[in-house]
């Protein structure tokens, strides 16, 4: 069955770094645009970053631009989110999402908690 499993979250101090991973199975990974979202307590889920099927184009929200980097490995069927210069306001549950090209098909992972605290 379809699975997206996030990992790499944890507790980090402001200014620190984390690398999130999202491993996919059960669908043709390289046909899907991959995105990261996050949801902070009491807030709506928000878009963080996206990468095209071949990794050639990447997009970021203004809040993370210049600090986060999204990448993907179609052989390993994994998408990554390198997060640097973390801020308190980056604290959230981070989710990965797979979106089918030209279709309404989408899959979500269960999320991984990132806590930025001193």
């Amino acid at each position: 069955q379809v699975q997206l499993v996030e990992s790499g979250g944890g507790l980090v101090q402001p200014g620190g770094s984390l690398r999130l991973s999202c491993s996919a199975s059960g669908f043709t990974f390289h046909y899907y645009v991959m995105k990261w979202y996050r949801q902070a307590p009491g807030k709506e889920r928000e878009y963080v970053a996206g990468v095209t099927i071949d990794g050639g184009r990447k997009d970021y929200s203004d809040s993370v631009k210049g600090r986060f980097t999204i990448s993907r490995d179609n052989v390993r069927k994994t998408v990554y989110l390198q997060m640097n210069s973390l801020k308190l306001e980056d604290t959230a549950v981070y989710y990965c999402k797979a979106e089918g090209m030209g279709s309404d098909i989408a899959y979500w992972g269960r999320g991984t908690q990132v806590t930025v605290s001193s």
Side-chain angles (χ1 to χ4, degrees):
Q1 73 275 24
V2 171
Q3 276 195 313
L4 288 172
V5 180
E6 301 94 337
S7 62
L11 174 64
V12 63
Q13 292 186 338
S17 297
L18 282 175
R19 189 195 196 204
L20 305 184
S21 300
C22 172
S23 297
S25 60
F27 62 99
T28 309
F29 181 77
H30 59 269
Y31 286 162
Y32 285 72
V33 173
M34 296 301 298
K35 297 181 178 180
W36 286 97
Y37 286 76
R38 67 185 181 186
Q39 188 166 18
K43 296 188 176 181
E44 293 187 354
R45 192 171 297 189
E46 65 172 356
Y47 171 80
V48 174
V51 60
T52 51
I53 59 174
D54 64 353
R57 284 194 300 164
K58 302 172 184 181
D59 179 67
Y60 302 93
S61 67
D62 288 343
S63 61
V64 307
K65 199 171 295 181
R67 300 187 297 121
F68 291 11
T69 303
I70 189 172
S71 61
R72 67 188 294 162
D73 185 331
N74 285 346
V75 173
R76 290 184 168 84
K77 301 181 181 181
T78 301
V79 61
Y80 305 98
L81 186 68
Q82 177 67 43
M83 307 187 295
N84 299 329
S85 303
L86 283 161
K87 304 176 181 180
L88 296 175
E89 52 264 40
D90 294 319
T91 294
V93 178
Y94 284 71
Y95 300 89
C96 68
K97 181 185 182 185
E99 294 182 355
M101 289 288 292
S103 77
D104 294 331
I105 298 174
Y107 307 118
W108 287 92
R110 292 190 175 186
T112 185
Q113 175 70 48
V114 171
T115 302
V116 184
S117 175
S118 54

